[in-house]
Amino acid sequence: MLPSSGQTQLMDQARARVSFNPTELSWIIHGGKDVVERRDAAFDRVETLLGTKDQSLLPICYGNINREEAFMQGLEAGRVTLEDGIDHKHDFFDNNTERYTLSNSSPFGVHTAMFIPTLKLQCSPEQRAHWLPLAESGKIIGAYCQTELGHGTFVRGIETTARFDRKTDEFILHSPTLSSTKFWPGAIGFSCSHAIVMARLVIDKDYGVHPFMVQLRSLEDYTPMPGVELGDIGLKMSYNGTCNGFATFNQVRIPRTNLLMGNAAVSRDGTYTKAPHDKLSYATLLFVRTLIVRNCASQLAQAMTIATRYSTVREQGLGPNGGAPREVAIISYKSQHFRLLSAISKAYAILFAWKSCDTSYRDLIKEQRQGNHSSLPYNHTLVAGLKAWATQTAADSAEDCRKLCGGQGYVSTSGLPEIVAAVTATATFEGENYVLWQQVARYLIKGVSLIRSGKPVSPDLAHIASAAAKDSHCHARATAFTRPETLIDIFRHRAARMALEAADLLASAEKTLPPSDAWNTHMMTLISAARAHTDLFVISSFHANVSSLPITVDPAIRGVLRRLVALFGLMAIANPAATDAVTFLEDGYVNGAQMRDIRGQINVLLEELLPDVVALTDAWNFTDASLCSAIGAYDGNAYERLMSWTRQLPINVDTNMTQGVFVEGFKSSIEPILRRSGSEVEVKRKLDLTDRMPRARL
């Protein structure tokens, strides 16, 4: 237990000022009181077994650990969380770890996040009956093996082949080129026994990429199966607790029935039955992208929690005008709480947008089970855009939270460098963002074409169809800009205008250029239109979910969340650091005078929300062990904990035993420098002469 300090008093004072009980907001974030209580119990069990509950001790991850030791830590944590889920029948660690990183950062996370869901989504009933019990009981440990050395997001370019042998009723899995090496999939280095391998199905001709169940390792001694080469790809910016790996296949034979046949199928005589929709094989990707969005909300919330708590207890300067009688907490500076509340509003926006996206995805799955695939294009576009938007938003905002903590945010023991590195990776996982933006843009261009042809479109494109009938200027002033209806109207106008303009530019360019060149010429405009379309979905979902909260929710919580919706929308328009903010102004729909009103309303909202900033972060219910931060713990005791952990660093513990000298470094490098200009006596004499020299005036 660390001694209390003035910083703990500052944190207590901040919590005394809040207007609502953060526990009740936790129930909204996580899905109910019962869920929160069961999550708390699960985290308590796991942290007890891992020995991470005592935060007066330096977490082992900040000691001197090499690649193998980092992997061993990941294996231990992965085993404990996986077994806790199986033993206590919950899924709290299926999609994220005990540190809230995406579950593929655990050696067994892909098993629950991708392997099992793929079995549920893409197996035939007979295959599910065989494979699912083995996977859910831990009898086999699975991975999802798609990305290759030469192909990532471009799934159609995958080179690994699965050629059908009619004589033996087998597929022959093969890596025909160096670039076909599976490279990056989580857990395939050393952790998993099986993998769902994406490969080109070949029966006389190439039928494209399909999923195959492949055993990678013997269940007896875990040696690689014949013809399979496996290994680890090495250290990464983050995710070093797992074994992202490589795999090559040299004429590896698997039964025909190992083709997952929930969608497409191959009969004994080699007859191929096509899937009812050409995008059904992407079902796992859609599912995982929704998980990534939810995880981004949590990881950004972690970063903002640390930054908010540190900003509350870090005192520096004599206030904004330099006239305070003593140093003040840095959260009182507008430049600090402007950025903090911006990050907080974005974390909640991601959360509530995910809730809408997840509902839509679940509806899609129900429809597909009944043979209805009509909403797949919409859902594919929605998930692609939201994944791109959420990952970039979370990565940028988490990095800003690190900067908000000054030098302490750069120290590993703050927890922020690891959070930033982990959330940054999500921009690449399961589809590189700028590729995903283009998928959204293609959907928009197709929609504009349908509208101009007088054909019906999906409801999410209705605002484009009605754009011509709208006013050319926003009439709101002053407080009207905080109304969600006003904000959504501004976002809607912008999204429609940008989609129509992008379509016009593309059509004009295609008159003189091949379609691919025309697209490339206007790619950034198309991406901006895609981003604007997703922005509209996010703010609409944020408002819709807040408006539909149960009547039993504390009015104070409703009020705070409504103010966050308004702040999120207004900052997207007026924050100079916001992506494409200028596009709100470029056609005059919002003018300069209105921008001044918007900035004024942002200032009002900041002052109203500032007393609740700690409660808005406490509501995410992070344990101190999950944050793993010397400066962001619940009690606010940042300096005591930071110095305690610093003194426990192995390098400091070891040098304390040698009178404060880092002996190896002194002998190998420091001492030779000191001795190179002469004897020790001569060096001392020169230093003494230097000390006696007169100092020049500055």
Side-chain angles (χ1 to χ4, degrees):
M1 180 70 70
L2 296 170
S4 61
S5 65
Q7 290 187 314
T8 59
Q9 293 173 15
L10 287 171
M11 186 60 75
D12 290 341
Q13 291 166 10
R15 290 199 171 97
R17 290 192 292 268
V18 305
S19 68
F20 65 90
N21 180 356
T23 299
E24 293 184 32
L25 184 51
S26 294
W27 302 341
I28 296 171
I29 291 171
H30 296 295
K33 180 179 179 181
D34 177 63
V35 174
V36 170
E37 290 174 348
R38 290 190 296 116
R39 285 180 80 260
D40 288 348
F43 272 87
D44 185 72
R45 289 190 301 269
V46 165
E47 291 170 4
T48 298
L49 288 171
L50 294 175
T52 58
K53 288 184 68 66
D54 186 354
Q55 287 291 291
S56 66
L57 301 177
L58 177 73
I60 191 172
C61 62
Y62 296 136
N64 293 343
I65 58 173
N66 57 27
R67 175 72 193 96
E68 291 77 10
E69 289 166 336
F71 181 42
M72 284 298 295
Q73 285 184 27
L75 285 168
E76 181 186 14
R79 176 185 59 79
V80 168
T81 53
L82 180 65
E83 291 181 343
D84 194 79
I86 293 172
D87 294 343
H88 295 273
K89 297 179 173 56
H90 66 74
D91 60 0
F92 300 132
F93 304 112
D94 281 7
N95 305 324
N96 57 254
T97 70
E98 81 290 350
R99 290 276 305 277
Y100 286 90
T101 52
L102 199 63
S103 56
N104 64 341
S105 64
S106 161
F108 311 124
V110 179
H111 178 76
T112 52
M114 296 186 75
F115 184 72
I116 289 177
T118 302
L119 296 180
K120 292 178 178 178
L121 290 168
Q122 301 201 49
C123 279
S124 67
E126 295 78 15
Q127 289 175 320
R128 278 196 296 272
H130 175 71
W131 292 111
L132 264 181
L134 295 173
E136 291 178 335
S137 64
K139 300 296 184 184
I140 60 174
I141 300 169
Y144 187 87
C145 201
Q146 175 171 293
T147 302
E148 296 180 348
L149 193 59
H151 295 91
T153 303
F154 187 57
V155 178
R156 285 179 293 162
I158 283 176
E159 298 178 81
T160 303
T161 58
R163 191 175 299 275
F164 184 57
D165 184 342
R166 286 186 174 86
K167 293 180 180 179
T168 62
D169 196 27
E170 294 173 315
F171 283 104
I172 304 172
L173 202 67
H174 188 60
S175 305
T177 63
L178 176 65
S179 57
S180 69
T181 302
K182 296 296 184 183
F183 195 92
W184 263 110
I188 68 168
F190 307 106
S191 304
C192 66
S193 61
H194 290 67
I196 293 166
V197 177
M198 301 300 286
R200 311 194 72 83
L201 191 158
V202 181
I203 315 173
D204 302 326
K205 71 173 187 176
D206 187 338
Y207 286 96
V209 179
H210 289 66
F212 296 84
M213 174 69 78
V214 181
Q215 183 171 348
L216 300 182
R217 292 180 176 274
S218 162
L219 292 175
E220 297 298 322
D221 58 9
Y222 237 52
T223 54
M225 298 297 286
V228 179
E229 179 190 13
L230 301 167
D232 183 72
I233 66 170
L235 287 168
K236 307 164 290 277
M237 282 177 62
S238 181
Y239 284 61
N240 290 307
T242 189
C243 52
N244 293 87
F246 69 88
T248 64
F249 305 97
N250 185 10
Q251 308 294 336
V252 176
R253 289 180 173 269
I254 59 174
R256 172 181 55 85
T257 52
N258 279 26
L259 165 67
L260 302 193
M261 298 193 195
N263 298 315
V266 173
S267 64
R268 175 63 185 88
D269 64 1
T271 300
Y272 177 77
T273 304
K274 186 179 179 180
H277 198 289
D278 62 356
K279 292 278 194 303
L280 283 179
S281 61
Y282 292 172
T284 301
L285 282 180
L286 296 187
F287 172 73
V288 174
R289 285 171 183 168
T290 63
L291 300 185
I292 290 173
V293 173
R294 178 61 180 89
N295 178 259
C296 283
S298 293
Q299 291 218 276
L300 174 52
Q302 282 197 304
M304 77 192 192
T305 296
I306 294 170
T308 297
R309 289 174 178 174
Y310 185 65
S311 298
T312 300
V313 303
R314 167 76 165 181
E315 295 177 299
Q316 186 158 289
L318 300 177
N321 63 0
R326 53 160 292 171
E327 289 194 286
V328 300
I330 59 176
I331 199 169
S332 64
Y333 295 91
K334 180 61 64 69
S335 60
Q336 193 80 1
H337 63 251
F338 176 97
R339 292 154 66 196
L340 280 173
L341 279 162
S342 174
I344 290 170
S345 72
K346 289 172 182 174
Y348 279 91
I350 295 171
L351 172 73
F352 285 112
W354 165 79
K355 287 179 181 289
S356 294
C357 180
D358 187 59
T359 298
S360 183
Y361 173 77
R362 293 178 187 276
D363 289 343
L364 167 68
I365 296 304
K366 292 177 184 176
E367 292 167 2
Q368 288 187 317
R369 285 172 180 161
Q370 297 172 356
N372 179 6
H373 307 285
S374 60
S375 65
L376 182 57
Y378 163 72
N379 277 276
H380 182 266
T381 301
L382 168 61
V383 175
L386 191 57
K387 185 269 180 185
W389 185 90
T391 55
Q392 193 61 59
T393 298
D396 292 346
S397 298
E399 168 63 10
D400 202 39
C401 287
R402 183 194 65 76
K403 293 172 182 173
L404 283 165
C405 296
Q408 317 297 30
Y410 196 69
V411 178
S412 290
T413 50
S414 73
L416 287 164
E418 176 61 28
I419 292 170
V420 171
V423 75
T424 297
T426 61
T428 305
F429 290 156
E430 308 309 325
E432 195 277 332
N433 283 356
Y434 280 81
V435 174
L436 297 185
W437 284 130
Q438 291 180 72
Q439 293 176 5
V440 177
R442 289 189 178 91
Y443 175 81
L444 292 177
I445 298 303
K446 182 178 180 180
V448 170
S449 177
L450 290 172
I451 289 168
R452 288 175 169 169
S453 300
K455 297 177 181 178
V457 292
S458 174
D460 68 307
L461 299 177
H463 63 287
I464 301 176
S466 60
K470 297 292 184 181
D471 288 340
S472 60
H473 181 69
C474 174
H475 299 286
R477 295 304 302 263
T479 57
F481 280 111
T482 63
R483 297 172 188 160
E485 298 81 6
T486 300
L487 288 169
I488 291 171
D489 180 69
I490 293 171
F491 277 70
R492 186 185 294 121
H493 170 86
R494 171 203 185 218
R497 175 183 62 79
M498 294 181 70
L500 292 168
E501 289 181 1
D504 289 342
L505 285 170
L506 187 64
S508 178
E510 287 179 343
K511 293 177 181 177
T512 57
L513 294 172
S516 61
D517 289 347
W519 185 274
N520 199 42
T521 297
H522 295 293
M523 183 182 292
M524 300 316 296
T525 299
L526 289 158
I527 287 173
S528 290
R531 196 187 299 271
H533 181 75
T534 305
D535 283 339
L536 173 60
F537 172 81
V538 172
I539 192 168
S540 299
S541 299
F542 195 175
H543 166 58
N545 280 285
V546 170
S547 298
S548 62
L549 289 172
I551 195 171
T552 54
V553 171
D554 182 357
I557 291 177
R558 288 174 176 276
V560 167
L561 291 177
R562 282 197 296 266
R563 286 189 281 276
L564 275 183
V565 173
L567 184 67
F568 169 77
L570 293 177
M571 281 192 164
I573 298 169
N575 186 347
T579 303
D580 284 340
V582 68
T583 58
F584 286 101
L585 301 172
E586 59 189 9
D587 73 333
Y589 191 72
V590 176
N591 62 34
Q594 290 172 315
M595 283 295 291
R596 288 188 286 276
D597 285 352
I598 288 172
R599 293 190 188 101
Q601 292 307 308
I602 287 174
N603 279 334
V604 172
L605 289 167
L606 291 175
E607 293 304 315
E608 290 176 346
L609 287 165
L610 186 57
D612 285 314
V613 68
V614 172
L616 283 166
T617 53
D618 284 351
W620 290 80
N621 200 32
F622 297 121
T623 65
D624 283 349
S626 69
L627 291 174
C628 205
S629 173
I631 65 172
Y634 184 84
D635 62 10
N637 210 0
Y639 293 167
E640 289 281 356
R641 185 169 285 102
L642 181 59
M643 280 309 305
S644 174
W645 286 11
T646 300
R647 290 189 174 106
Q648 294 176 62
L649 291 170
I651 193 170
N652 293 328
V653 172
D654 292 344
T655 53
N656 281 341
M657 299 174 66
T658 55
Q659 298 181 304
V661 177
F662 183 56
V663 175
E664 182 180 359
F666 176 74
K667 291 293 185 183
S668 66
S669 299
I670 300 171
E671 188 175 41
I673 295 173
L674 296 174
R675 302 291 181 262
R676 63 177 285 127
S677 298
S679 66
E680 182 177 347
V681 174
E682 179 65 16
V683 171
K684 186 175 185 304
R685 186 184 70 79
K686 290 180 179 180
L687 290 173
D688 290 342
L689 287 173
T690 301
D691 288 340
R692 290 196 292 271
M693 290 176 65
R695 298 291 189 266
R697 288 184 179 274
L698 297 177

